[in-house]
Amino acid sequence: MATLLVTGGCGFIGSNFIRDVLANEPDISIVNFDALTYAGNLANLADLESHSRYRFVKGDITDRAAVEKALEGVDGVINFAAESHVDRSILDSGPFLRTNVIGTQILLDVARSQKIKRFVQVSTDEVYGSLGATGLFTEETPLHPNSPYSASKAAADMLVQAYVHTFGMDAVITRCSNNYGPYQFPEKLIPLFITNLMRDQQVPIYGDGQQIRDWIHVRDHGAGILAAWRKGKAGEVYNFGGRCEKANLDLTHLMLDLLGKPRTLIKYVQDRPGHDRRYAIDCTKAERELGWSPQMTFDVGLRETIDWYKANEAWIKNVRSGDYLKYYQQQYGSR
Ligand code: NAD
Ligand code: TYD
């Protein structure tokens, strides 16, 4: 039996990961260590609270004493905890530096001193910067982050690599493209647009809407992270992507059609400052070395995601209150 400390397990990707691991991996126990920021939601895992292989600990990865305690008896760390939204990093980069950089440094330090077997750093393709019309990010692509969010994630990646190089730590880094699926906080494109459209509210397209993202289902990402924990080589980076490039406007048309809503609900707003034009991933290394590949087709995954939001009105209502309304006003009131 291995015990994993999953940080940020009450967020979107972490909660999907925990759900799948508890369902399918009987040899893994999970300690979920999460500060419950605006993005962390206990409701995401409410049905698993009393699971025999699961324990929740409220704590902040920048709190060394709390991390030391949480890591007792743990075999591996999967570090999902982060401030994760580019637009928020443009409004205020402070929390991104604190959690994504200092938090990762503290986790690495404590993991090293407690001789944790393996550290998996969950990173993003955004550390590579922006692509032109052609080409793909490989693990060899130089880091060129453009937003405060991606700069903080790149800094964390470099710290992880420094700990591998300097201290011989066993750590791997995963870099994934844009995720979609259930439990995603409705500040990101897909859940924001679905939940707005369900209420016949407008959807804000930044700039010309021709920016391209490579979409992957959140459970495919989780399967990749698990494969990296089990089969990755210390010090290596693994890219994950869905081989599913879509321009934002085309994706928006698809969501409008699936929800039966008119195109008049599209509102073009001022572009995001420094907006990356295109992301696309070469994930052949993960396929070759981890035996992983993305399984979900986008058509099916997007329909299922829409159905999930339709079936979870109480969840939406809950997360679209409080801080969310303040953020929404700050973000879109000015555009
Ligand atoms: P999220 O914003 O939904 O969740 C983040 C979680 O981390 C929340 O539960 C929050 O409470 C917790 N957290 C934040 N600060 C913390 C702190 N200081 N201490 C402890 N917990 C803290 O994020 P997500 O979309 O699930 O992303 C998870 C990870 O995956 C992040 O590291 C992100 O950079 C990476 N990633 C995300 C995507 C994507 O498309 N969402 C793609 C690639 C990589
Ligand atoms: P987002 O979901 O914020 O992910 P990221 O910026 O990390 O890729 O945005 C995905 C794309 O959608 C990105 O090109 C920005 C664009 N976008 C909009 O056009 N309008 C919006 O309201 C949001 C949130 C994003």
Side-chain angles (χ1 to χ4, degrees):
M1 180 71 70
T3 301
L4 297 183
L5 184 89
V6 171
T7 70
C10 292
F12 164 50
I13 306 174
S15 63
N16 277 283
F17 176 80
I18 290 174
R19 187 171 290 285
D20 280 350
V21 167
L22 291 178
N24 305 320
E25 311 295 327
D27 61 332
I28 295 181
S29 290
I30 290 198
V31 179
N32 173 9
F33 185 82
D34 194 302
L36 298 180
T37 68
Y38 79 92
N41 189 347
L42 280 174
N44 293 359
L45 292 167
D47 54 322
L48 297 171
E49 261 163 23
S50 55
H51 195 289
S52 58
R53 287 183 284 112
Y54 175 73
R55 189 159 60 87
F56 172 70
V57 176
K58 182 166 190 257
D60 193 309
I61 59 168
T62 63
D63 176 349
R64 182 179 294 265
V67 170
E68 279 170 354
K69 191 149 179 271
L71 272 177
E72 281 167 16
V74 161
D75 299 291
V77 173
I78 318 277
N79 183 27
F80 290 93
E83 289 294 334
S84 68
H85 190 36
V86 173
D87 291 316
R88 287 189 191 248
S89 80
I90 294 168
L91 291 171
D92 180 9
S93 59
F96 289 72
L97 273 288
R98 261 194 306 283
T99 288
N100 301 2
V101 185
I102 303 297
T104 302
Q105 178 251 327
I106 288 171
L107 278 174
L108 285 167
D109 264 357
V110 179
R112 184 168 85 88
S113 71
Q114 294 190 202
K115 300 193 171 39
I116 298 300
K117 288 193 194 105
R118 166 158 287 185
F119 189 103
V120 179
Q121 174 68 3
V122 180
S123 186
T124 164
D125 62 350
E126 302 193 25
V127 297
Y128 298 123
S130 184
L131 288 165
T134 58
L136 301 171
F137 295 133
T138 74
E139 290 80 359
E140 309 304 320
T141 303
L143 302 194
H144 194 297
N146 290 317
S147 71
Y149 163 67
S150 55
S152 69
K153 293 295 289 187
D157 285 13
M158 293 176 94
L159 269 173
V160 173
Q161 283 170 327
Y163 274 62
V164 170
H165 182 79
T166 310
F167 304 114
M169 245 183 103
D170 182 327
V172 298
I173 296 172
T174 63
R175 296 190 180 131
C176 190
S177 63
N178 286 61
N179 286 219
Y180 71 97
Y183 301 99
Q184 188 169 26
F185 194 85
E187 62 189 355
K188 308 270 170 44
L189 179 80
I190 288 183
L192 174 69
F193 282 23
I194 293 172
T195 54
N196 274 12
L197 292 174
M198 281 169 60
R199 287 159 174 68
D200 292 310
Q201 289 171 359
Q202 289 184 312
V203 289
I205 292 266
Y206 298 165
D208 62 5
Q210 293 308 317
Q211 306 83 3
I212 290 174
R213 296 293 181 264
D214 169 1
W215 294 96
I216 182 171
H217 193 272
V218 63
R219 298 181 64 188
D220 279 331
H221 184 190
I225 291 166
L226 186 68
W229 152 256
R230 287 202 193 279
K231 302 184 211 155
K233 249 179 71 195
E236 293 293 314
V237 175
Y238 300 96
N239 283 352
F240 302 126
R243 292 210 176 83
C244 175
E245 288 184 52
K246 295 219 177 289
N248 293 338
L249 190 58
D250 293 337
L251 171 55
T252 303
H253 288 161
L254 196 55
M255 288 189 277
L256 284 163
D257 293 347
L258 287 172
L259 282 151
K261 303 292 179 184
R263 295 197 175 178
T264 47
L265 284 175
I266 292 177
K267 183 182 181 198
Y268 288 90
V269 300
Q270 197 187 318
D271 207 353
R272 170 188 282 171
H275 198 166
D276 285 339
R277 199 70 183 164
R278 176 171 168 261
Y279 303 145
I281 281 273
D282 177 343
C283 57
T284 49
K285 178 179 173 183
E287 291 179 327
R288 209 174 46 242
E289 297 186 14
L290 302 179
W292 168 92
S293 61
Q295 300 296 313
M296 180 64 92
T297 58
F298 189 71
D299 267 4
V300 174
L302 185 62
R303 277 170 210 270
E304 282 184 12
T305 302
I306 290 174
D307 288 344
W308 185 86
Y309 282 95
K310 280 184 175 166
N312 285 279
E313 185 55 49
W315 184 95
I316 299 174
K317 228 174 137 201
N318 183 257
V319 297
R320 280 176 58 120
S321 59
D323 168 89
Y324 181 83
L325 296 174
K326 205 170 105 215
Y327 164 75
Y328 198 85
Q329 180 56 32
Q330 204 178 353
Q331 178 63 16
Y332 297 109
S334 59
R335 286 180 189 237

